[in-house]
Amino acid sequence: MRRIALLLAAALSLSAQESSIGVRAHGLAPMGDLRDLTDNQVGLGAAVFVSIPIGRGMVLRPLVGAQFIPKGASFSPTGTKTSVASVDLMLDALWYPDEDPERGAYLVGSVGAQQWRVRTTGDAPSTLSATRLGVSGGLGYQFTSHFAVEARGFWSPIEKNLTATGLILGVTLRF
């Protein structure tokens, strides 16, 4: 709780510098290893961010978020189901080619740490936790100064034989 309070205090102090707080909600479609592991279950995610303009058409967006893919039957032994979740501490960089962060298309790239948790139930229950590098990138469109839509791909190596990859489609709201 102390860390969250410090983040909020920092965000409030940045608000005097044209920064804004926002939220992102997204759905995710796993690919590759994650799709096989969760039997192609669709996941959900959310994040809280601070949007910080840093120059002409450039915005930094530090965020704290989470993702969850529900239990799905995997290709493993009968009766085995696996769910996947992550807690993310990321930094998004947005570039608006028209140099107007209030409206228009933009490119987004993200890098940071992801705490993954893979939980398997059934005949061979297990839990795997790992903190790994996560990256994502894609396109967005800012419809108003408060509302945008984003599509992006993500990648994170959970362990040697398990890589998290997929597609994300989400909306962002800035306050």
Side-chain angles (χ1 to χ4, degrees), residues 53-158:
I54 59 167
R56 300 183 68 166
M58 292 294 297
V59 175
L60 290 181
R61 205 167 60 184
L63 66 88
V64 176
Q67 302 180 95
F68 177 73
I69 303 170
K71 289 181 183 177
S74 66
F75 60 87
S76 301
T78 308
T80 300
K81 294 190 177 219
T82 303
S83 65
V84 178
S86 74
V87 175
D88 312 328
L89 181 58
M90 307 291 281
L91 177 63
D92 288 350
L94 287 69
W95 176 61
Y96 293 82
D98 292 337
E99 298 182 359
D100 182 7
E102 301 297 315
R103 183 173 299 276
Y106 60 90
L107 296 175
V108 60
S110 186
V111 65
Q114 293 184 289
Q115 171 65 44
W116 290 97
R117 183 179 182 99
V118 180
R119 181 176 224 169
T120 304
T121 59
D123 295 340
S126 67
T127 300
L128 166 70
S129 292
T131 301
R132 299 290 186 254
L133 171 71
V135 296
S136 71
L139 303 168
Y141 193 86
Q142 192 76 39
F143 288 97
T144 70
S145 60
H146 300 289
F147 177 75
V149 174
E150 295 180 354
R152 56 169 85 192
F154 69 91
W155 174 89
S156 181
I158 298 174

